[in-house]
Amino acid sequence: MAIEELKESADATVEELEKEGDFAADFLEELLDIADIDGDLNLDVRQGRAYVSVEADGGSLPVLSAPETVQALQELTRLAVQNQTGAFSRLILDIGGSRDTRRRQLEALVDAAVAKLDGGAGQASLPAMSSYERKLVHDIVSERGLVSESYGDGADRHTVISRH
């Protein structure tokens, strides 16, 4: 993807992001109907991104809320939105609270890395993860008064935590 396309997507207006959310909701409603899964969709715009969350009262969503499944559905939804808008989408999908669950998992990874630093390690590497997850890790690390940097390319991009 060209740098210009990424910059344009980062500068999207609230109206454009709301439209992204609408396209995403339409796609997800059809997908949920096909899978015969009930869910309520909520749309929001935060930090320059469209957020779409799917919630359900019954037990039908846990099968979809595994982090790998949410990531895959997010990518499919982004592609569907891109097909409608012609522009790269950075929307975030949350299914059944999966984002909060993943944040807690990332906090546990950071805690384990901090324990390594407390044990004398100069730095601690985390596994490769998506750009959104790396951003969350950077925020968590910063909240704890530590430093983090991302290294690697593509699917191998990961975060390294240190004290300086």
Side-chain angles (χ1 to χ4, degrees):
M1 169 168 307
I3 298 294
E4 297 81 30
E5 289 176 357
L6 285 173
K7 184 172 180 352
E8 286 176 19
S9 69
D11 295 336
T13 66
V14 171
E15 183 178 308
E16 291 168 331
L17 293 170
E18 287 173 344
K19 187 176 260 187
E20 272 190 37
D22 288 338
F23 287 135
D26 290 344
F27 173 77
L28 289 165
E29 281 177 2
E30 286 184 41
L31 188 66
L32 292 172
D33 284 345
I34 290 169
D36 197 27
I37 296 175
D38 293 324
D40 296 323
L41 288 117
N42 298 304
L43 310 175
D44 195 9
V45 172
R46 290 182 267 160
Q47 301 172 338
R49 291 182 185 227
Y51 279 73
V52 180
S53 61
V54 182
E55 300 295 330
D57 293 331
S60 57
L61 282 185
V63 70
L64 296 180
S65 62
E68 298 81 12
T69 305
V70 173
Q71 186 67 28
L73 288 172
Q74 177 175 280
E75 291 306 315
L76 286 174
T77 305
R78 285 178 173 178
L79 288 172
V81 168
Q82 184 174 339
N83 189 44
Q84 291 290 319
T85 65
F88 177 72
S89 173
R90 297 174 57 227
L91 78 85
I92 300 297
L93 177 62
D94 179 45
I95 299 177
S98 61
R99 292 292 171 187
D100 289 338
T101 299
R102 184 61 178 150
R103 181 175 175 92
R104 286 190 299 274
Q105 292 170 343
L106 294 173
E107 288 172 341
L109 282 173
V110 170
D111 289 342
V114 170
K116 288 181 183 177
L117 296 176
D118 290 345
Q123 61 184 24
S125 294
L126 299 182
M129 55 188 71
S130 72
S131 61
Y132 178 76
E133 290 174 330
R134 286 192 315 275
K135 184 203 177 309
L136 289 177
V137 166
H138 291 306
D139 292 346
I140 294 165
V141 168
S142 178
E143 290 167 6
R144 294 194 167 117
L146 300 169
V147 177
S148 59
E149 290 187 55
S150 292
Y151 295 95
D153 295 313
D156 293 327
R157 194 144 174 92
H158 63 282
T159 306
V160 175
I161 301 171
S162 65
R163 294 207 179 273
H164 51 71

